[in-house]
Amino acid sequence: MEIWRLPISASQRGKLISAGYTSLSSLSSISSSDLARELKVSESEAMNILKVASHSRGSETSNASCSIVEVLDTFQWWAGAQSAWDMLHDEESLMHITTSSADLDNILGGGIHCKEVTEIGGVPGIGKTQLGIQVAVNVQIPNDFGGLGGKAIYIDTEGSFMVERAFQIAEACIEDMSEYNRFLRKDFQECKIKMLPQDILENIFYFRICSYTEQIALINYLDKFLSEHKDVKVIVVDSVTFHFRQDFDDMALRTRVLSGMALKLMNLAKRFSLAVVLLNQVTTKHTEASFQLALALGDSWSHTCTNRIVLYWNGNERYAYIDKSPSLRSASAAYSVTARGIRNSSSSCKRIKMM
């Protein structure tokens, strides 16, 4: 059982989640005095929380014991196994979300991968939010145009989401599809009527998060939300970093909370066959008597995501670099942030014209 289901007050659940306790098992070995100190409550209140948790854990174990024989009788142990060949087939058939930059899609193996968690980080002004909005729009490209025809969840922790900008990108996306349709189809008028920019905006579920407590609670709630909205195919968190850099003094606790959150998002990506995009900030890292920029949240966090993409400036051009991925080789690609959204860089377009 998870903490948010525990029959205690909402404030007590919030304090437990904020302290990194997300499941009953995480409360099994802590004393009431230690819990009281961590939650900043009286020891009697902490004892009551542990008592309720112990009772709930006992009920959960009892229910599990009653049904375990039935499970063993009906469950085929090999049903959960998967051959390496099947895994390869699944990976090759994975759907992608285009970034609207052919060069960027190329190094990403077709775009942002479903069933994976992709971290995208870089300095302010490099285009992280622009890319996040672009993905939230592009996930809605219909199947007939090579898209997923899905919906998006946009979790905004910084207040950087711009609905006017999303409308501009949606308009450009429809124009791109219309141009594609003119070349390959004759039913252009019918497609144009069916999809409007406001339709795209209506398919972006927006959550404004104002604290790390809210962020953790929302991530825990997503399982239920996605079960009711199975057409969601991307979750964008902009940014995953903000509240955890502002409000945390205990780094060990922060690491534990972040690891739990990353695991939850990874499970959601696998279970619902969707893409998770985590936007990250940069920080200064001291190495070998010098300082250099690095993505925030430390080295342990860098291992929690499937893919890590670093955005950076090279002169006046923006570049994306694949810093870590189990299936993609390290590579860089230039891109531009234009009035129409993310596109190939101007220098890339010039090279194509010359050729």
Side-chain angles (χ1 to χ4, degrees):
M1 180 186 288
E2 295 180 339
I3 291 297
W4 65 276
R5 295 180 184 273
L6 209 57
I8 55 179
S9 70
S11 63
Q12 289 173 334
R13 284 196 297 269
K15 289 177 181 178
L16 284 169
I17 292 171
S18 299
Y21 298 101
T22 57
S23 65
L24 290 183
S25 59
S26 62
L27 290 172
S28 60
S29 59
I30 190 170
S31 67
S32 58
S33 57
D34 289 340
L35 184 63
R37 185 169 58 256
E38 284 196 42
L39 303 188
K40 297 180 181 178
V41 298
S42 65
E43 188 164 350
S44 61
E45 185 176 351
M47 287 178 65
N48 183 61
I49 292 172
L50 291 175
K51 183 179 178 181
V52 173
S54 177
H55 177 74
S56 299
R57 193 161 53 244
S59 300
E60 193 176 44
T61 303
S62 177
N63 292 337
S65 299
C66 292
S67 59
I68 189 69
V69 175
E70 298 174 17
V71 173
L72 290 172
D73 285 341
T74 58
F75 183 73
Q76 293 179 321
W77 289 106
W78 59 86
Q82 186 180 28
S83 71
W85 177 256
D86 289 337
M87 291 173 64
L88 178 62
H89 176 73
D90 287 347
E91 287 186 9
E92 290 176 343
S93 62
L94 276 180
M95 299 295 291
H96 306 92
I97 305 169
T98 178
T99 63
S100 290
S101 165
D103 292 340
L104 188 49
D105 284 350
N106 185 45
I107 67 169
L108 291 172
I112 303 296
H113 294 222
C114 288
K115 290 191 175 183
E116 295 182 357
V117 177
T118 299
E119 178 188 18
I120 301 175
V123 297
I126 196 66
K128 298 185 297 294
T129 296
Q130 303 284 333
L131 187 51
I133 295 174
Q134 187 76 61
V135 170
V137 168
N138 287 357
V139 74
Q140 301 179 50
I141 295 174
N143 301 108
D144 290 343
F145 292 88
L148 275 66
K151 297 181 180 180
I153 291 174
Y154 202 101
I155 302 172
D156 184 5
T157 68
E158 301 184 27
S160 54
F161 181 85
M162 300 161 286
V163 68
E164 297 85 359
R165 182 62 173 145
F167 190 87
Q168 287 178 341
I169 292 175
E171 283 184 317
C173 180
I174 292 174
E175 289 172 7
D176 288 345
M177 285 191 291
S178 299
E179 185 177 350
Y180 172 84
N181 203 59
R182 271 198 300 273
F183 284 109
L184 300 180
R185 296 175 182 273
K186 296 181 180 179
D187 55 349
F188 164 65
Q189 190 64 32
E190 182 182 353
C191 291
K192 182 179 179 182
I193 294 172
K194 283 185 177 180
M195 199 163 198
L196 299 170
Q198 50 265 43
D199 298 327
I200 291 178
L201 295 190
E202 286 179 357
N203 289 332
I204 299 176
F205 300 107
Y206 175 80
F207 295 89
R208 178 70 172 98
I209 299 301
C210 298
S211 69
Y212 68 85
T213 306
E214 289 183 10
Q215 186 170 335
I216 297 167
L218 175 59
I219 299 301
N220 287 328
Y221 168 70
L222 284 180
D223 197 326
K224 181 176 185 297
F225 186 89
L226 290 169
S227 297
E228 298 169 354
H229 301 82
K230 293 187 177 180
D231 47 1
V232 169
K233 290 301 172 186
V234 68
I235 299 170
V236 180
V237 184
D238 181 13
S239 67
V240 68
T241 324
F242 185 70
H243 295 302
F244 289 93
R245 295 184 72 184
Q246 303 292 323
D247 305 327
F248 261 93
D249 295 322
D250 187 337
M251 292 297 102
L253 175 60
R254 187 182 80 165
T255 298
R256 185 173 67 185
V257 171
L258 283 169
S259 297
M261 186 175 65
L263 180 60
K264 176 80 73 173
L265 289 169
M266 180 68 77
N267 289 337
L268 292 175
K270 297 284 187 184
R271 180 181 169 192
F272 294 99
S273 298
L274 53 81
V276 174
V277 177
L278 305 179
L279 306 183
N280 197 355
Q281 302 170 344
V282 295
T283 187
T284 304
K285 184 178 181 180
H286 183 261
T287 55
E288 298 180 357
S290 65
F291 291 92
Q292 62 182 30
L293 291 178
L295 297 194
L297 300 181
D299 293 334
S300 59
W301 169 258
S302 67
H303 302 295
T304 60
C305 301
T306 316
N307 308 298
R308 169 174 266 204
I309 303 168
V310 178
L311 309 181
Y312 64 96
W313 290 99
N314 185 5
N316 294 323
E317 281 202 308
R318 294 175 170 91
Y319 275 79
Y321 171 71
I322 298 178
D323 183 57
K324 187 203 84 166
S325 174
S327 58
L328 303 171
R329 65 181 180 85
S330 295
S332 296
Y335 68 96
S336 292
V337 177
T338 71
R340 297 173 61 82
I342 303 297
R343 294 293 187 271
N344 282 345
S345 71
S346 54
S347 62
S348 175
C349 293
K350 287 177 182 177
R351 286 196 300 270
I352 292 173
K353 288 180 180 179
M354 290 175 65
M355 292 171 66

